[in-house]
Structure formats: C-alpha cells, structure tokens
Amino acid sequence: MGVSMSTERTVLVTGSTDGIGRRTAEKLAGPGVHLLVHGRSAERGAAVVEDVERAGASATFLEADLSSLAGVRALADSVLARCERLDVLVNNAGISKPSAPREVTVDGFESHLAINYLASFLLTRLLQPLLGTSRVVNVVSAAQDALDFDDLMLERGYSGFRAYGQSKLAQVMLTLDLAAEGVTANCLHPGTHLDTTMVRAAGIRPAGTADSGAAAVVALATADGISGRYFDARRESRAHPQAYDEQARERLDAEARRLTALDR
C-alpha cells in the first residue's frame, strides 16, 4: 500500500527501476501522486510505471545515464520541462564496486565520486528552482571516509572501499549544505548489505531486505519538521566528523561547482 500524500504531489526517485529505489517508488505511490521513475532500462522502467499506476498513482519513466554530466543535465531538463514543482526528490542512484580496479567516467572522473556524489549534486542544484518546500532525501551509507582534497579522484593508492566511502560522505555534506540554505534535506544509511543487485554483484550475502531500506527512505520523505539530519536506518545518528566542518563543506561545494561547470 502506498503512503497517503496530499493531492498532486510530484516525486522523483533516481535509480528507481531496481532495489531500494524501486521499492521506495512503489511505497510512495498512491492517488494524487505523480512518480517520475528514473533508470537506464526502458523495459524495467515500464514495469515500475505499471506497478505504480496499479497503486493509483500516475507515472512517467525518464531514461538517463547518470555516469555522465550530460546525462544528469538531460534528466534535469526533462523534469524542468514537465514540472512546475517537485515535492520529493530522492537521490538514490549509485554504485559500489569495492573490489574493482579504478574506473573513470566519460568526463574523466573517478566513477564513485562521479555517480554517487557529483550526479546528485548537479541534479539537485539544477532542480533547485522546483524544490521550494519540497523534501530532499539522499541515500548515503554508514561507510564514510574523509575527503582528500589534494586527491579527490584517488589517482594515488586507489581503494574501491575508500572511493565509495568518500563519495557517500560527500553526499552527507551536500545534505547539510542544502539544509543550511533552507531546503528540507536529510540523508540516511538505509541498512547494511541489503538485498539489492549492487550488493549481490559485489559477492556479499544480503543481511536485510530492500523493503526495509525503502521503508526508512519513505519515513524521511514524508516526515515533517526534520532537516539537516543523518539517520542510520530510522535512528538519528552522527555522520563522519568532516561532514560538520563548514570549511570542508565550502571547499567541496566549490570543487563540485567547478567539476560540474554548474555556474557557467
């Protein structure tokens, strides 16, 4: 059953054709809700749209590859063309390849930082004119590593675990920046080793369900009076200390703006 929401609410969940994202979209679906379903597969997108519409919501599938800045901008353009406002934005799409060698995107960026952080940063900033009183939820992780501003792309001594950890901490820092600017924004670690394609592909035995992670995301997406918080599932917690360093956040924001050419 979907969550009851007021009429004509528009919700965008990135990476919503599989795993936690799909279950989040399905849980948020209901009468008076329009779901913007995002993914890279039109076939899987159609299946989610069907499920969402069966729950009484309307839905649109938006295909985009967030591994490129052009793909992020194309997704933002599609949303801006369709919507006058966005009530909920869930930045869920991401990757985790702890055992793989270092990879770079088409833009030349380390893949974890590019897809997990820069994509959500750029998308959120481009959609900011639509946010208003909306809620932003960033799906992060308890695995957080301090950012090395002298080697953000981890060209020296690469570790997939560290790449993932710093990209997720960067998302936490984005969340706190948005909250400081007056946007209702929160982030959460949805659960450890949940049963998702990403976890199974990493050769990890799932320790929880995607449904439980989605329930925690939905709780934040529908909560009132909460902003600038980090949650471990449904329990408020503390992120890595660097997240609360305002100078570090300012430095990261400036670097993200430069890398994404946001202000050009």
Side-chain angles (χ1 to χ4, degrees):
M1 179 180 296
V3 173
S4 176
M5 303 177 79
S6 59
T7 59
E8 298 181 353
R9 291 177 64 87
T10 303
V11 178
L12 169 60
V13 182
T14 67
S16 48
T17 59
D18 193 20
I20 293 171
R22 177 169 184 165
R23 292 297 297 123
T24 297
E26 291 169 347
K27 286 177 177 292
L28 287 170
V33 176
H34 184 70
L35 257 298
L36 299 175
V37 176
H38 160 259
R40 292 178 298 167
S41 165
E43 182 179 356
R44 289 191 301 187
V48 179
V49 167
E50 185 177 337
D51 287 343
V52 164
E53 291 179 338
R54 193 178 297 117
S58 60
T60 302
F61 173 65
L62 302 177
E63 184 174 351
D65 183 352
L66 302 188
S67 68
S68 75
L69 295 181
V72 178
R73 289 183 177 277
L75 176 59
D77 287 344
S78 294
V79 176
L80 289 165
R82 288 171 169 80
C83 305
E84 295 181 355
R85 78 171 192 273
L86 191 60
D87 297 283
V88 178
L89 168 60
V90 179
N91 286 310
N92 164 77
I95 64 166
S96 175
K97 298 181 178 182
S99 302
R102 183 177 180 273
E103 298 176 355
V104 296
T105 64
V106 66
D107 300 298
F109 304 144
E110 190 281 315
S111 60
H112 289 88
L113 191 74
I115 298 169
N116 295 346
Y117 169 61
L118 291 176
S120 56
F121 171 87
L122 181 59
L123 180 64
T124 304
R125 291 304 187 185
L126 291 175
L127 294 180
Q128 206 149 352
L130 302 183
L131 297 182
T133 59
S134 71
R135 298 179 179 94
V136 177
V137 178
N138 291 322
V139 179
V140 299
S141 173
Q144 298 166 20
D145 283 275
L147 285 86
D148 178 359
F149 289 101
D150 294 324
D151 188 22
L152 272 181
M153 299 300 165
L154 299 180
E155 295 176 286
R156 304 185 295 273
Y158 178 79
S159 159
F161 288 99
R162 182 157 172 256
Y164 178 76
Q166 78 161 9
S167 71
K168 288 300 180 179
L169 175 57
Q171 279 189 289
V172 177
M173 296 164 85
L174 169 63
T175 306
L176 299 184
D177 282 345
L178 290 168
E181 295 165 17
V183 178
T184 299
N186 295 286
C187 57
L188 81 160
H189 166 61
T192 301
H193 297 160
L194 301 183
D195 190 6
T196 64
T197 300
M198 188 167 66
V199 167
R200 292 192 299 273
I204 299 171
R205 182 175 180 178
T209 66
D211 195 72
S212 67
V217 174
V218 170
L220 273 188
T222 57
D224 291 320
I226 299 172
S227 188
R229 313 286 180 85
Y230 164 70
F231 287 80
D232 186 342
R234 298 202 189 198
R235 178 178 61 84
E236 187 173 346
S237 188
R238 292 284 290 179
H240 188 285
Q242 193 182 40
Y244 306 101
D245 181 337
E246 292 186 8
Q247 289 185 330
R249 294 211 312 269
E250 288 176 5
R251 189 171 181 182
L252 177 62
D253 180 76
E255 189 66 6
R257 289 173 183 273
R258 183 185 72 82
L259 292 171
T260 61
L262 176 65
D263 299 322
R264 292 180 190 170

